[in-house]
Amino acid sequence: MGKMMLKSFPEDMSALTVDPCDLGRTLIDGCYKQTVEVQGRSREFFTYIPEGTESCRPCLVVAPPSGEDGLEYMERSGLKAFADEKKMFLFLMIPEDGGWDLSGADADFMNAVYVEAQARDYYVTMQDNFYACGIGDGADVAQQAACRMSSEWSGLMTMGDLKTDLGEITLNKEAAGMGANGELQIAAERAQLPVWMVVSRWEGASVSAASYWRANNHSGEEVFSTKDADYVWFPVLLRQNLEMDEEMIAQVRVTVGDTECSLSRLEQMWSYIGLARRHRGQERKNLRYFKDPVLCGAERKTMELDGLTREWYEYVPECCTPDKTWPVVVVMHGRGGTAETFFDISNMYQVANRRKFIVACPQAGVYQQKKGGLRNVASWSGTLNGKPIDDIGFIRAMLENMESRLPVDKGRIYACGQSSGGMMADTLCEFSGELFAATVSWSGLYTPARSTVRGERSHDAPPSAMIFGEKDRLTAGSAQIPGVPFTISETFKDMIEEKFRRYGLDKSAVQIWKDDPITWYSYPNSQGVPMFTVGIVDKMVHANYPEESWISYDQFFCNFMRDEDGTVCYRGKRVQKTE
C-alpha cells in the first residue's frame, strides 16, 4: 500500500471547469493540507476529497493517534477507503510533536477545523452533517471537542481508552470562533448527541464519559446490547420539544474490544452515527434522523436545458390519487445547499402527506461566490462561463414536465424557499407571477443587486409573504421604511416599498398580531385580501425551521388559488387586480 501524494490547492479556483452534466460535483479531489488559526497559532490538517464527491456530503473530522504519519495512517487505518466508499469529506488533524494536548487546547483545534471546513474556498460543505472521530489518544480530543460543542456536531465516534474526565471540561464559548456565515454560536446548555465509544477496558474515564453522555442525552437507566455494542442506552421516550424540530435519537453505545481503527469498524459505527443530522431550529440546532428523499418515496428527475443537466426531487404522496388534480409546492434550497438536503431540512414532504399536495425540490444553478473562488457554489439566478443561468426557465420547464405526467392542479401552484431560495421564490412572484397562486420567501426577497434577472415584471403578481428571524444576518436590520412598524436590512428596503406599490397597499391598514414565536404584519388590499405579509421570528438566525413549512401552507398557500380564467381567488372570492 503506497503513501498518498499530497496535492496543492489551485491558486485560482475560478480557472477550473465546471461539468455542465454534474454542476454539484467538487472541482478538486485527492489530499491537501490546510491551516487554521487556533488561539493565535497556526495549526495544520489534511483534507481528503474522494473522486466524484458531490457538494454537501457528510464530513468526518478525525483526531488520529499521536506519532502516526498522517498520510500513511489514512491509508492503513481504512479511513481513506471509508471516505471513498461513502463519498464523504475527510479531515485529519495533525498533532504537534509532543502529541495531543489533553488539557483542552486540541479540542479547540478540532472545533476550529469544523469551522474552517465550511469556508467554501475549495469545496462546499454544510454544517448539518459534521461528525467528530478520535482514535487512540485522539479519542480524548474528540470527546472534549464534542463536549464543548455538542450543539454543533451531528455525532461522535471514538476508538481508544479515555484518560480525561469529561465532567471537568468546561464550555469555552471562544474556542471555535465564527463559522463561514458569521453565525456560529456555541450553546451553553447541553445538546443531545449520538455517541459510540470503543474501549479495550470498561473502567475509569471511559465509564465516566459514558455517564456524561447518558445524562447529556436524557438516557434511561436500562441498558441493552447488540451484536456490535456491549452497552446501549436509549433516550427516554419523552418529547420535550416539537417532534417536527427535534427527535430524541441520541443513543450512547459502548463496545469493549479491539480499539484499532479499520474499515469494518468504521462501517459498523457509521451505521448508527451517520443517521443523524443537526438542523437549525428557532433558537438552536436540532437533531433529527436524515430523511433521504428516495427512501421517503421521492423520485430524482433530470432534464437537459440550455446545455446543463438540471435536477429536482419530486414527491407525490399516496393520498394524491390520479383521479383528481392536486396542488404543487415548489421548495427551493439556499445558497450552497442541495435539493437532497433541503428535502430533509424543510420537511415539506410531511406537510404534503397531511395536506395532500405534490412537492418539487429543484436544484439551483451555480455562481462564483468569491473572487478567484470556485464557480459552482449552488445558488439561484447565478452565472456560468460569464452567462446568466435561466433558473426561471428551469422552473417553468420543470412544472411543464410535471404537468405532462402528474395530476397537477394548475390553479394551485405555490413557491417557497430559504435564503437564495427565498429570493428565487420572490423572483418567480415578480417575473413569472401568472404561474403561481401565492409565494412565501424565507429570509430573502428579490433584489436586482443580488440577481441576474432583469426585464419586464409580471402584470399579475400573486400574493406574497416573507418570514425571517429577528437575528437574521441577511434580512433583519435597522433600515426604517416610512410608515412601516418593523425594520429590515437595507438590502430589501426598496423591494418592500415596491411590494406596496405593486399591490396598491395602504401602509396604515396594517394588521399586527403575535403568534409565538412570530410577530405578523399583514397588509390587505381594499377587499381585505392579505396581499403582502411579513412574519418576524423571535431569536431566529438566518435559517428556516420545519414549522415554517406548515405555517406557509396552512396560513397562506391554502387560502389562494387561480380560477379557470387565471384570476387569483382568496378563500373562493376573486381578487380585484390593481390598476
Side-chain angles (χ1 to χ4, degrees), residues 111-380:
N111 289 333
V113 171
Y114 162 91
V115 176
E116 183 65 25
Q118 299 168 40
R120 297 178 183 167
D121 289 327
Y122 308 104
Y123 48 83
V124 179
T125 66
M126 62 188 307
Q127 57 184 278
D128 303 60
N129 53 10
F130 270 75
Y131 306 84
C133 176
I135 307 164
D137 56 347
D140 282 270
V141 175
Q143 289 274 342
Q144 293 176 16
C147 176
R148 292 187 173 189
M149 256 174 47
S150 60
S151 62
E152 297 295 326
W153 296 98
S154 290
L156 168 66
M157 41 201 276
T158 59
M159 290 158 268
D161 296 312
L162 301 180
K163 302 177 181 63
T164 54
D165 188 341
L166 289 186
E168 299 177 358
I169 301 296
T170 57
L171 287 168
N172 181 356
K173 292 189 177 183
E174 306 300 326
M178 305 302 286
N181 58 15
E183 287 182 352
L184 176 59
Q185 297 176 348
I186 303 174
E189 74 278 4
R190 294 180 180 181
Q192 61 163 331
L193 183 71
V195 175
W196 196 328
M197 302 162 47
V198 178
V199 297
S200 67
R201 298 180 303 278
W202 184 228
E203 61 185 25
S206 298
V207 175
S208 174
S211 297
Y212 174 90
W213 291 116
R214 285 173 55 198
N216 193 80
N217 294 343
H218 308 288
S219 297
E221 291 299 320
E222 191 171 6
V223 60
F224 300 85
S225 64
T226 71
K227 65 180 181 65
D228 297 322
D230 298 289
Y231 304 93
V232 180
W233 289 273
F234 291 89
V236 294
L237 300 177
L238 176 68
R239 294 292 185 266
Q240 293 181 320
N241 298 311
L242 289 175
E243 191 167 346
M244 69 177 72
D245 285 337
E246 183 162 70
E247 301 167 349
M248 300 297 288
I249 63 174
Q251 302 172 20
V252 178
R253 295 189 177 191
V254 177
T255 300
V256 181
D258 184 2
T259 60
E260 287 295 315
C261 182
S262 66
L263 176 59
S264 60
R265 180 69 82 186
L266 289 164
E267 291 173 332
Q268 177 191 86
M269 300 173 80
W270 185 254
S271 66
Y272 166 63
I273 296 297
L275 297 176
R277 295 291 189 274
R278 181 74 70 181
H279 294 324
R280 290 189 178 187
Q282 182 212 343
E283 295 185 49
R284 55 177 287 176
K285 295 174 71 175
N286 294 309
L287 201 67
R288 304 207 308 264
Y289 282 128
F290 172 60
K291 310 300 191 299
D292 183 297
V294 174
L295 295 181
C296 289
E299 291 187 45
R300 179 179 176 269
K301 301 289 186 180
T302 63
M303 67 167 55
E304 301 302 314
L305 189 68
D306 300 329
L308 305 175
T309 299
R310 305 305 304 266
E311 65 178 276
W312 72 95
Y313 284 94
E314 186 176 282
Y315 181 75
V316 183
E318 292 182 2
C319 56
C320 292
T321 53
D323 58 320
K324 297 181 181 179
T325 57
W326 305 98
V328 172
V329 176
V330 180
V331 189
M332 292 166 286
H333 64 83
R335 183 176 67 180
T338 66
E340 178 189 53
T341 57
F342 206 60
F343 182 94
D344 178 24
I345 293 171
S346 69
N347 237 22
M348 187 64 82
Y349 82 100
Q350 292 191 0
V351 185
N353 287 333
R354 290 290 181 265
R355 299 298 184 254
K356 298 184 179 181
F357 60 83
I358 298 168
V359 178
C361 284
Q363 175 81 21
V366 295
Y367 92 125
Q368 184 177 336
Q369 182 173 335
K370 302 176 181 179
K371 184 178 180 180
L374 67 168
R375 296 189 296 146
N376 68 335
V377 178
S379 186
W380 297 97

Side-chain angles (χ1 to χ4, degrees), residues 42 192 204 263 324 341 408 443 463 487-488 574:
S42 180
Q192 61 163 331
L263 176 59
K324 297 181 181 179
T341 57
V408 171
S443 305
T487 59
I488 195 77
R574 303 183 98 191

Side-chain angles (χ1 to χ4, degrees), residues 515-529:
D515 181 15
D516 283 324
I518 303 178
T519 302
W520 293 99
Y521 303 87
S522 185
Y523 292 88
N525 66 5
S526 58
Q527 289 179 273
V529 177

